[in-house]
Amino acid sequence: MTLHLPEIDRASAADLLAEKPGTVLSAADVAKKAHRRWDLGQCENAAVLFCVAAERAAESPEDPNQYPNYAVRAGITLSLAGHPAAAERTLTEAAAFDWAGAGLEKDTNMIEWAYTRLLVAAAATHPARFGALFREAVARCAEVGISYPRIHPQQDELLPVAQQLGERDALERIIERTLARRPLPRAVKARVAEAQEVLAATR
């Protein structure tokens, strides 16, 4: 199984690559540019560059197994840029992908990233799917030794989403996982306390 590369607007690719005449950047070099754009919050540009990096990795005999690494990041950044539908297929495949079997065991956390983007998208467009998808995320992540949600920014993003939807089971788990953090920032602690009050009031 390989990951589908999302469709993106490539009109800006050449400008983003900024390759000198007669030179072709390696997949790793393009990925570095993509990560820089991601860090700057320029997620649409990052998605374009990750797609180019994935294509070059697939063509490279040196490190072809980096293709899924870059492909999933293209999907994540495309979703973050406000195009969740265009990223859905890539993220769904990434959630089911055998990262360890592909020699990318360190990227197993991409399963968690993929589910979070899918959950945020579901909350906005198909809220009735959120609960079942959250349970699927917990089960799938458990298969690879991840107690979902584990990544702190994703806990923070999912907490208000589950609270707004009234998804008690998801909210209770997100609260539990968030409270396991050390140290727990004061602002996060306040948001958790608010969510706990909502739970208590609806019992």
Side-chain angles (χ1 to χ4, degrees):
M1 174 186 176
T2 189
L3 302 188
H4 169 80
L5 205 58
E7 295 294 330
I8 54 169
D9 181 2
R10 295 170 178 263
S12 60
D15 289 340
L16 291 170
L17 288 169
E19 292 173 310
K20 295 179 180 179
T23 65
V24 178
L25 294 173
S26 69
D29 286 337
V30 176
K32 287 178 183 177
K33 286 178 174 284
H35 278 289
R36 194 172 303 121
R37 295 284 181 168
W38 189 356
D39 290 341
L40 292 171
Q42 300 172 9
C43 292
E44 195 146 4
N45 289 338
V48 171
L49 290 169
F50 277 126
C51 280
V52 174
E55 290 171 341
R56 294 191 180 182
E59 297 168 356
S60 170
E62 298 176 2
D63 208 3
N65 72 340
Q66 287 301 312
Y67 172 91
N69 180 311
Y70 303 143
V72 67
R73 284 167 170 78
I76 291 166
T77 49
L78 191 60
S79 176
L80 287 168
H83 306 289
E88 183 176 3
R89 178 177 171 183
T90 301
L91 296 173
T92 300
E93 291 174 351
F97 190 70
D98 182 4
W99 293 91
L104 296 166
E105 188 169 0
K106 290 183 178 179
D107 288 319
T108 298
N109 66 328
M110 289 297 103
I111 295 172
E112 179 169 6
W113 273 96
Y115 271 117
T116 296
R117 298 318 321 153
L118 290 169
L119 282 162
V120 171
T125 58
H126 299 93
R129 292 177 49 196
F130 185 91
L133 185 60
F134 187 88
R135 290 189 292 274
E136 179 185 315
V138 171
R140 173 69 179 118
C141 286
E143 291 176 0
V144 294
I146 295 173
S147 185
Y148 185 81
R150 180 180 64 181
I151 299 173
H152 297 175
Q154 295 180 15
Q155 294 171 355
D156 296 344
E157 185 173 16
L158 289 171
L159 181 70
V161 174
Q163 182 175 333
Q164 183 177 9
L165 293 178
E167 289 286 347
R168 292 187 59 87
D169 291 346
L171 186 55
E172 287 176 352
R173 184 173 179 88
I174 296 165
I175 289 172
E176 175 192 337
R177 298 300 306 134
T178 302
L179 289 175
R181 287 158 59 172
R182 294 292 183 275
L184 186 63
R186 183 177 299 176
V188 176
K189 190 181 296 185
R191 288 195 293 271
V192 168
E194 178 185 334
Q196 288 175 317
E197 289 177 4
V198 170
L199 280 174
T202 56
R203 288 192 187 281

